[in-house]
Amino acid sequence: MQQRRLGSSGPVVSAMGLGCMGMSGMYGPSDRAEGSATIHAALDAGVTLLDTGDFYGMGHNELLIAETLREVPRDSYQLSVKFGALRDPAGGWAGFDARPAALKTYLAYSLRRLGVDHIDIYRPARLDPSVPIEETVGAIADCIAKGWVRHIGLSEVGPETLRRAAAVHPISDLQIEYALVSRGIEAEILPTCRELGIGITAYGVLSRGLISGHWDKGRQATRDDFRAHSPRFAGRNLDANLRVVERLRDVATALDLTAAQVAIAWVACQGTDIVPLVGARRRDRLAEAVEAIGIEFTPAEMAAIEAAVPAGSIAGERYPAAQMAMLDSER
């Protein structure tokens, strides 16, 4: 497995990270044993970056990771943890809280659930509009001084917030959606990150499985599956998007690859400062993804991929309207 440094100040991590959210719901029923086996398979394949959030399954995901890694040396992997999303007992969402006192409480519980003495990268899941980013970053910097955190990351924020945050403390990486079909960061956010020496951990590289080549029109998402509420998986949008996927599949076949491998490799080829996060919940999907790392495309192949899936070709926003309104990165 190749390695990459996250930004100019961040850690050296595997060139692909494993997103663990789906192992605790969000995409329908999950298999705890298979999730654990997939994490072990990822480590065996050289994947060292594991991404989670304290609100994934309301603690379930952190406990799963802790159980899985109990006998694994702590210095052999990096934990990236998001915080700040508020949930109610019914599993609903209730906004964000990134106040300094709140984040230190979140951190205390995450350290306990994960069974570790530090988090490698700690980041607010979204910008809290009621708390200046300087206060949030400053509080995480205090946690770094105490040894509880190693690096500060951000998630789904725009250029102005990036600059304000970086003025307080070095930022290792911005976690944000980036894919063949989600290229909004290219105009301003990616150049700002590169100017400031901030890496990118790119989630949604398969657009929640939409462009993986494994989704079809007859597949029904359960009510507890994010995709049941996603504009890109709805009605005519899905019909149009699956036609785009067919074009991607044709290019992939000509390259003797799968659609998922082309989509992952495309993101990885956009710069050595970008690390794709793949949300594999099963070992077979993980194995497919790992094989994409290290693939290089010729200019002609890259042109064919982007002709099949040009920027702006996907139908529907990446989140429902209410969630899009919460994204500082979309303002």
Side-chain angles (χ1 to χ4, degrees):
M1 173 63 65
Q2 298 175 353
Q3 293 185 320
R4 296 181 173 185
R5 180 176 295 279
L6 288 179
S8 58
S9 65
V12 174
V13 302
S14 52
M16 185 191 95
L18 179 64
C20 299
M21 181 179 72
M23 299 175 187
S24 299
M26 292 299 290
Y27 293 113
S30 57
D31 183 322
R32 188 182 186 93
E34 183 61 23
S36 181
T38 301
I39 293 172
H40 277 299
L43 295 174
D44 290 343
V47 175
T48 63
L49 180 63
L50 304 177
D51 182 77
T52 184
D54 61 14
F55 51 91
Y56 290 173
M58 293 178 284
H60 176 282
N61 204 238
E62 290 182 323
L63 292 171
L64 170 63
I65 290 172
E67 176 185 303
T68 302
L69 301 181
R70 186 171 293 121
E71 304 300 326
V72 177
R74 179 64 182 91
D75 62 358
S76 65
Y77 61 88
Q78 298 99 10
L79 292 171
S80 169
V81 179
K82 290 181 288 298
F83 67 86
L86 303 177
R87 305 192 69 175
D88 61 33
W93 302 92
F96 299 93
D97 186 353
R99 293 172 300 150
L103 77 83
K104 289 179 181 179
T105 301
Y106 302 142
L107 176 60
Y109 280 95
S110 284
L111 291 170
R112 178 63 61 89
R113 280 190 294 262
L114 287 163
V116 298
D117 63 2
H118 71 276
I119 303 296
D120 296 282
I121 311 171
Y122 202 50
R123 72 183 83 241
R126 296 288 185 267
L127 178 68
D128 182 342
S130 65
V131 180
I133 191 63
E134 291 87 350
E135 292 185 15
T136 301
V137 170
I140 304 175
D142 289 343
C143 296
I144 290 177
K146 291 180 172 63
W148 301 327
V149 173
R150 295 289 186 266
H151 303 278
I152 301 175
L154 295 173
S155 177
E156 288 288 357
V157 299
E160 180 184 351
T161 302
L162 285 166
R163 293 185 187 281
R164 289 170 54 194
V168 176
H169 190 279
I171 305 299
S172 68
D173 66 305
L174 172 67
Q175 190 171 117
I176 195 163
E177 187 163 351
Y178 186 41
L180 263 171
V181 296
S182 301
R183 298 176 63 176
I185 74 169
E186 293 178 342
E188 295 184 61
I189 294 175
L190 183 56
T192 301
C193 284
R194 286 175 169 163
E195 175 191 339
L196 298 173
I198 298 172
I200 297 287
T201 42
Y203 75 88
V205 294
L206 298 178
S207 194
R208 283 86 178 173
L210 178 62
I211 62 171
S212 67
H214 302 303
W215 194 273
D216 60 67
K217 186 177 180 180
R219 184 173 172 183
Q220 296 296 315
T222 58
R223 291 183 61 186
D224 58 349
D225 189 325
F226 168 86
R227 292 167 290 200
H229 313 284
S230 169
R232 291 183 173 178
F233 287 81
R236 293 180 179 178
N237 285 350
L238 179 60
D239 293 339
N241 292 338
L242 289 179
R243 289 193 290 271
V244 173
V245 176
E246 280 305 309
R247 298 200 300 268
L248 177 61
R249 196 198 309 270
D250 289 343
V251 174
T253 299
L255 296 173
D256 197 25
L257 299 169
T258 67
Q261 288 169 338
V262 170
I264 295 166
W266 181 89
V267 173
C269 286
Q270 299 311 302
T272 56
D273 54 349
I274 298 173
V275 173
L277 297 174
V278 177
R281 299 191 291 173
R282 294 168 15 195
R283 283 167 286 181
D284 57 342
R285 296 287 191 254
L286 173 73
E288 179 183 26
V290 166
E291 291 179 3
I293 302 303
I295 292 173
E296 296 183 2
F297 299 117
T298 66
E301 290 168 345
M302 189 67 80
I305 294 166
E306 295 184 0
V309 189
S313 61
I314 209 73
E317 298 284 2
R318 53 197 183 98
Y319 287 103
Q323 294 183 48
M324 288 293 291
M326 298 178 184
L327 299 177
D328 181 65
S329 56
E330 293 290 335
R331 296 173 187 167

